[in-house]
Amino acid sequence: MRAAKVSAFASLAICHLDERENAVRAIEKWLMCGMLLGMHDGASPAPLQRQLKLNVSVDATQAWKNELQWSKASSQQRYELTTQLHSDGRLYAQNLLDPDLDKRSRIKSEFYTYQGLLELKRENGGRLPSGNALMPEISAESLKAGGSCLPGVDCPSASPQRFSAIAALQDNTPAQIEQFMKSFEAPGGKWLYFTGFAGCRNQLRLNYTAHFAGEQAFDHARKKLQPFEMDWVANTEGSAEEKASLCRRYTITLDTGSGTMYVENAYLPSPRGTSTRKTGRGLDRRESDLPPPYELMRWVGDTLSKNRPSGSQEAVLKLTQPLDGNSTVLGLFDGTAKVRLSWSFAEPAQR
């Protein structure tokens, strides 16, 4: 008990905000102190929600050359997204998004088995069922995965976590399973896991303009050049399907000791807009998904993969992949993109 009190007083000291600290550091400290104080109140871990905000701007130019063919392109893009993630509030011993990919794969596999076992335990009045009792379910799922379900036969779909948990029950003794679960529930961890969830509150605002102009040949010898212009335009707040997809896109872990945030597979949507192409043959206008530059996606992912919970960063990226995403024309692509990213991962504002 005395140790718990000392830890609580230490947390209060950490949470003291110095008015001289900058805003970014204050936000990070506020985020961490809220978690630390909650750990020492003697209660079970309480579920947490956090809101991820990303703001990305792009100003890009690019030239293309393939023998006699050529083009010049310019593009301005802005991506604003806000999405919510939740955590069970438990402090785990290992980082679900460990930078070592082999280790990450093992930790994920074990964690999802644990989640499936919790699900089975809740359904069974707080006790784990026997693996044999669930054999029909896993057999039906195996049939479904193999495309062997017969019409009219009940062949339910289990989550990967549930499937893994049922397999674990069949391959291990009850004592081994209980010991495995206790390893996740032991005190002393420091990692919070945040995942997306269906029906989350989120927002999208996407603006995209691009202009391409040059000369391209469509004959077999690529000698008969034809001038062309193409314009891309999008200004959207996202469709219902895009917002539903965004809810499950992000997984984030937080080191409560250092305050470091890890993000997996940073995602920016391709806004739905219009593509208008003008050639000597006429005007072609159609709806299209307008892709973010490949180099931008890689840079955003690298920047967020391990960083503070809030901040901003700027860079000038070299563009060697086609801005319009069409690499079939071959040739040399040379351009730059001035990019800026700001982000925050904090408790949602109260409405």
Side-chain angles (χ1 to χ4, degrees):
M1 182 66 70
R2 184 176 179 274
K5 288 182 178 179
V6 171
S7 296
F9 281 121
S11 296
L12 284 169
I14 291 171
C15 290
H16 173 70
L17 295 180
D18 191 323
E19 64 181 6
R20 294 170 296 178
E21 292 181 299
N22 64 41
V24 170
R25 179 58 185 152
I27 290 172
E28 292 174 3
K29 198 178 227 186
W30 170 79
L31 175 65
M32 298 309 304
C33 80
M35 294 172 182
L36 288 168
L37 290 174
M39 292 170 202
H40 303 296
D41 64 3
S44 299
L48 303 170
Q49 281 201 13
R50 293 291 181 266
Q51 183 171 264
L52 175 67
K53 288 185 177 181
L54 299 182
N55 192 318
V56 183
S57 61
V58 181
D59 189 355
T61 59
Q62 187 179 61
W64 167 65
K65 183 74 174 177
N66 184 353
E67 296 183 357
L68 298 177
Q69 302 176 99
W70 65 276
S71 72
K72 292 185 177 181
S74 61
S75 180
Q76 291 75 44
Q77 304 165 27
R78 190 175 184 90
Y79 306 84
E80 299 177 46
L81 67 84
T82 302
T83 190
Q84 289 186 337
L85 297 90
H86 63 184
S87 167
D88 59 9
R90 186 178 299 281
L91 293 177
Y92 292 97
Q94 300 183 89
N95 182 5
L96 189 68
L97 303 182
D98 193 285
D100 183 319
L101 295 183
D102 290 336
K103 189 175 180 182
R104 179 187 298 195
S105 178
R106 175 184 59 78
I107 294 170
K108 278 188 170 186
S109 177
E110 293 175 353
F111 175 69
Y112 292 141
T113 298
Y114 170 68
Q115 291 293 303
L117 291 168
L118 287 179
E119 178 184 331
L120 296 175
K121 208 169 185 179
R122 286 192 296 268
E123 292 178 1
N124 202 44
R127 298 170 59 88
L128 285 170
S130 71
N132 290 335
L134 297 170
M135 177 66 82
E137 180 175 335
I138 197 170
S139 296
E141 181 61 21
S142 297
L143 287 171
K144 184 177 180 69
S148 302
C149 281
L150 298 175
V153 174
D154 186 17
C155 201
S157 175
S159 68
Q161 295 94 316
R162 187 182 183 90
F163 190 92
S164 178
I166 295 172
L169 287 173
Q170 293 175 334
D171 295 339
N172 298 274
T173 66
Q176 289 173 324
I177 292 293
E178 289 291 350
Q179 188 62 34
F180 171 76
M181 296 187 72
K182 285 179 181 178
S183 71
F184 280 90
E185 297 161 3
K190 66 173 184 176
W191 294 96
L192 284 167
Y193 298 171
F194 290 88
T195 57
F197 58 96
C200 79
R201 185 183 302 158
N202 62 28
Q203 288 183 327
L204 278 173
R205 190 178 300 276
L206 311 171
N207 298 96
Y208 195 122
T209 61
H211 179 73
F212 307 82
E215 293 180 308
Q216 189 173 0
F218 298 95
D219 60 303
H220 182 71
R222 296 289 191 264
K223 300 296 184 182
K224 298 179 180 179
L225 296 178
Q226 296 184 26
F228 77 91
E229 290 187 46
M230 182 168 67
D231 287 286
W232 284 0
V233 178
N235 186 1
T236 177
E237 295 183 355
S239 66
E241 292 78 10
E242 287 171 329
K243 289 185 176 181
S245 176
L246 177 60
C247 277
R248 293 187 176 274
R249 284 283 182 171
Y250 279 89
T251 298
I252 295 176
T253 60
L254 193 64
D255 181 343
T256 59
S258 67
T260 304
M261 173 188 75
Y262 292 73
V263 179
E264 183 175 52
N265 297 333
Y267 165 74
L268 296 177
S270 298
R272 189 71 173 170
T274 58
S275 172
T276 305
R277 185 180 178 90
K278 181 180 180 182
T279 66
R281 302 174 182 177
L283 195 67
D284 179 42
R285 180 184 174 89
R286 63 185 65 186
E287 287 192 1
S288 183
D289 293 324
L290 311 183
Y294 165 78
E295 293 86 354
L296 171 70
M297 296 296 293
R298 184 174 60 185
W299 177 75
V300 171
D302 290 345
T303 302
L304 295 179
S305 63
K306 180 183 178 181
N307 218 314
R308 300 173 302 176
S310 61
S312 63
Q313 197 160 320
E314 298 180 358
V316 177
L317 307 179
K318 186 172 178 61
L319 302 180
T320 59
Q321 300 295 316
L323 267 176
D324 65 357
N326 180 15
S327 58
T328 63
V329 296
L330 304 179
L332 177 66
F333 295 90
D334 184 26
T336 58
K338 296 178 181 178
V339 297
R340 186 179 191 278
L341 165 67
S342 61
W343 70 91
S344 67
F345 185 57
E347 192 170 332
Q350 297 295 323
R351 287 194 170 186

